[in-house]
Amino acid sequence: MNLTVIGTGYVGLVTGTCFSAMGNNVTCIDIDEKKIENLKNGIIPIFEPGLERMVLKNVDKNSLHFSTKLNDGLTKASIVFIAVGTPMGDDGSADLQFVLGVAKQIGQEMQNPLIVVDKSTVPVGTGDKVKSVIQEELDKRGVKIEFHVVSNPEFLKEGAAIDDFMKPDRIVIGADNEVAFNKMKDLYAPFTHNHDRLITMDIRSAEMTKYVANAMLATKISFMNEVANICELVGADVNQVRIGIGSDSRIGYSFIYPGSGYGGSCFPKDVKALKKIAEEKGYKANLIASVEEVNDRQKMVIADKVVNRFGNDLNGKTFALWGLAFKPGTDDMREAPAIYIIKDLVKRGAKINAYDPKAMEEAQSFYLKDVNGITYFNSKYETLNNADAMILLTEWKEFRSPDFEELKSQMTNPIIFDGRNQYSNLDLDKKGFEYYQIGKRTN
C-alpha cells in the first residue's frame, strides 16, 4: 500500500519505518526542514534501539521517503496517519492544534479517497473533530471526496518500540464503517499472521483505550511506590512484599517495582489528560488524581534521603549520579526524576558528577542547560572521584553489576542511594556500604 505518515517524532518515525519494512511504500512528512534533511542523510533525531538501521535499510530499498510537502504524500496514498504532537496544555488537557491543523491541510489538498488515521494520543471525541474539519475544507472547495476517520492508538514502549510494532500484543482499530475496518485489517495483516491480535471497536472507545491503558500502568507504579513508603515506616521490605503479591496471577509482576516515580512522554501527560477529560464532564477522578500526586511526591524521595543523611546544607558535597533518562533504552528525559532530584540537590549547594549512556546531550542542551554545578563524564566510574555518595536513578544494564571495590576506592564515603532498587538483593551493608533504597528502612 501507499501510506503517508504526518509527523516524524517518536511515534511517526517508528510507524512509518515499520510499515515500510513490511513492503509498503511510505512517505513521512514533517514541517521541520532540518529534521527532514537530516533524515534524508541518515541522521535519526531520536535514540531507539534498531531504528536507525531499519530507517537506512528501507530508504536504501526506496520504500521509505521523507518530505516537507504534504502533497508529496497525498498524491498516491490510500491511508494517511496523523502522528503529530499533542502537548499538554496549561490546564492538563491535550492540545489539539497540530492534529486539527493537519486535518485542515488534508481537507485542502486531498484529491483521492482516503482513510485518515489518528495515531497521536488524543482525547475522546477527537475523531469527530478531525472528520468535521476535513469535511468543512472539502465543502469550501466544492468537491466530494470519500474519506473515513479511524482511531488507531499506539502502544509503543520507548526502548522496545520496534519489537512492539512488529510483534504487537494488540492492535486497536476504532472506526464507524466496514470500509475503514477492512482497509485497516488488510494493512495490519502481516503483523497478525500467526495470531489475530486486531481488536475492533467504535472510535471513541479506541481513543479512550489508549488513555486508560497508560493510566492503569501508572496506577500500578504509584500504588507500589505508596506501599514502599509505608513498608519503610513499619519496618517491612517492599522487595519481599513485591514477590509475595506478584506471585498472584491476578496481580502479576509487571509495573510493581518500587522506584523514584514514572516519567517520559506518555504516563504524566496521559494521566493529566484523563483527569481533565473527567473534569470537563463534571466528574472528579479521585483515584487518577492520587496517582499523579503520589508520583510527584515519589520523585523527591531519594533527594529527601540524601538530605536526611547529609543535612540541608550540601555545600562542599559532591554526588556521583548514574542515569538521567526516565528509563533505560532511551535518551528521553521528559519528566525524568533525575531533573527534579538534581535541581533540588544543586539548590542546596551540592555538586553533581553525572553520567548516562544516551541522555547527556539532552540534559546539557535542554533539560538541565541552565543548572550550574553539574559536570558530565564519559563513563560511570569517572563520576566517582572524591564523591560523597553515588545516586542511581536509571536502571541501565551497565549499572547492574558494577565493580563495588572500585566504588569504595574512589568515593570519599561508600554510600549508595538506589532510586531503582537495583542492588536490593546484594547485601551491600556486608560489603562495607551504607545503602539506601526505596521501601526498606536503612539500619
Side-chain angles (χ1 to χ4, degrees):
M1 292 187 189
N2 289 308
L3 312 176
T4 293
V5 179
I6 304 173
T8 58
Y10 180 80
V11 173
L13 188 56
V14 171
T15 298
T17 302
C18 290
F19 275 133
S20 70
M22 283 298 190
N24 298 286
N25 187 56
V26 180
T27 301
C28 292
I29 308 293
D30 202 293
I31 60 173
D32 188 330
E33 294 182 0
K34 184 178 180 180
K35 181 189 286 188
I36 292 297
E37 190 61 32
N38 284 341
L39 284 166
K40 287 179 177 179
N41 292 322
I43 301 172
I44 311 303
I46 57 174
F47 172 74
E48 179 63 35
L51 181 60
E52 181 177 5
R53 176 170 48 83
M54 188 178 281
V55 169
L56 295 176
K57 179 179 179 180
N58 287 285
V59 168
D60 188 57
K61 289 167 59 178
N62 204 36
S63 61
L64 181 61
H65 317 274
F66 301 101
S67 177
T68 57
K69 298 177 181 177
L70 180 58
N71 194 51
D72 289 346
L74 290 184
T75 303
K76 296 180 180 180
S78 58
I79 302 177
V80 56
F81 287 84
I82 300 177
V84 295
T86 52
M88 185 170 58
D90 293 337
D91 61 354
S93 63
D95 188 342
L96 293 177
Q97 63 172 312
F98 301 117
V99 170
L100 298 181
V102 167
K104 182 176 182 178
Q105 195 173 357
I106 291 172
Q108 291 170 342
E109 298 191 24
M110 64 184 289
Q111 301 295 331
N112 305 306
L114 278 180
I115 304 293
V116 179
V117 183
D118 280 329
K119 198 69 174 172
S120 303
T121 301
V122 294
V124 177
T126 299
D128 294 335
K129 294 179 180 179
V130 168
K131 183 177 181 179
S132 177
V133 168
I134 294 174
Q135 188 59 58
E136 183 179 344
E137 294 305 316
L138 291 176
D139 291 343
K140 288 179 182 178
R141 292 167 56 192
V143 296
K144 292 185 178 181
I145 303 175
E146 182 182 3
F147 74 96
H148 304 283
V149 174
V150 169
S151 175
N152 173 216
E154 54 85 15
F155 299 99
L156 306 176
K157 298 186 295 291
E158 291 191 48
I162 300 297
D163 280 347
D164 286 346
F165 200 102
M166 302 299 280
K167 302 172 185 176
D169 51 15
R170 84 280 208 194
I171 299 166
V172 173
I173 305 295
D176 58 10
N177 65 85
E178 287 303 312
V179 172
F181 278 129
N182 290 335
K183 193 76 172 178
M184 295 301 289
K185 286 177 181 178
D186 289 345
L187 175 63
Y188 277 108
F191 301 89
T192 61
H193 183 69
N194 296 324
H195 177 67
D196 187 6
R197 301 174 177 85
L198 199 140
I199 303 168
T200 59
M201 59 185 71
D202 64 89
I203 295 174
R204 288 181 174 237
S205 295
E207 292 168 339
M208 189 68 168
T209 296
K210 169 64 175 180
Y211 279 117
V212 174
N214 280 347
M216 182 67 213
L217 297 175
T219 299
K220 292 184 73 173
I221 294 170
S222 280
F223 174 80
M224 205 62 199
N225 282 333
E226 189 91 288
V227 168
N229 296 334
I230 297 171
C231 283
E232 197 164 329
L233 292 171
V234 301
D237 182 349
V238 73
N239 303 295
Q240 295 181 32
V241 172
R242 177 184 60 79
I243 295 170
I245 67 170
S247 58
D248 186 329
S249 61
R250 296 170 301 175
I251 299 172
Y253 290 103
S254 298
F255 289 86
I256 62 167
Y257 288 82
S260 296
Y262 60 76
S265 63
C266 294
F267 287 8
K269 178 168 69 73
D270 292 353
V271 167
K272 286 181 182 290
L274 186 56
K275 184 178 70 170
K276 183 63 178 178
I277 289 169
E279 290 174 356
E280 289 175 347
K281 296 299 180 182
Y283 182 80
K284 187 176 181 180
N286 292 323
L287 177 58
I288 295 169
S290 295
V291 168
E292 183 181 32
E293 291 168 8
V294 169
N295 191 63
D296 289 344
R297 185 171 67 242
Q298 195 68 21
K299 290 180 179 180
M300 298 308 299
V301 167
I302 285 293
D304 291 342
K305 288 178 181 292
V306 172
V307 171
N308 288 338
R309 171 61 179 79
F310 289 99
N312 281 308
D313 184 0
L314 297 178
N315 279 290
K317 301 297 181 183
T318 298
F319 299 99
L321 190 137
W322 291 7
L324 295 166
F326 86 95
K327 62 179 282 188
T330 179
D331 60 354
D332 194 345
M333 282 189 64
R334 283 174 286 188
E335 295 295 321
I339 298 172
Y340 300 90
I341 293 168
I342 289 172
K343 287 182 177 180
D344 184 73
L345 299 182
V346 167
K347 183 179 67 176
R348 298 174 188 274
K351 301 292 184 182
I352 303 294
N353 294 345
Y355 168 72
D356 186 284
K358 295 295 179 182
M360 290 200 292
E361 184 177 341
E362 287 289 300
Q364 290 174 282
S365 63
F366 188 73
Y367 292 99
L368 296 169
K369 67 177 182 179
D370 297 323
V371 180
N372 297 319
I374 308 173
T375 304
Y376 298 91
F377 292 86
N378 293 320
S379 76
K380 57 183 182 288
Y381 294 120
E382 290 179 20
T383 66
L384 299 172
N385 188 32
N386 294 323
D388 293 281
M390 186 271 274
I391 302 170
L392 186 145
L393 294 178
T394 313
E395 58 274 36
W396 287 97
K397 287 182 180 179
E398 69 172 88
F399 298 158
R400 290 183 183 177
S401 299
D403 183 340
F404 288 106
E405 292 304 314
E406 180 75 13
L407 266 71
K408 279 201 293 187
S409 68
Q410 289 207 47
M411 296 166 65
T412 302
N413 304 298
I415 301 174
I416 295 176
F417 293 91
D418 188 350
R420 296 298 177 185
N421 287 14
Q422 284 291 283
Y423 312 133
S424 60
N425 62 339
L426 297 181
D427 293 325
L428 287 182
D429 56 330
K430 296 179 181 179
K431 298 179 187 291
F433 283 89
E434 221 178 295
Y435 179 60
Y436 298 84
Q437 58 179 299
I438 305 290
K440 184 180 179 181
R441 185 184 298 166
T442 301
N443 296 324

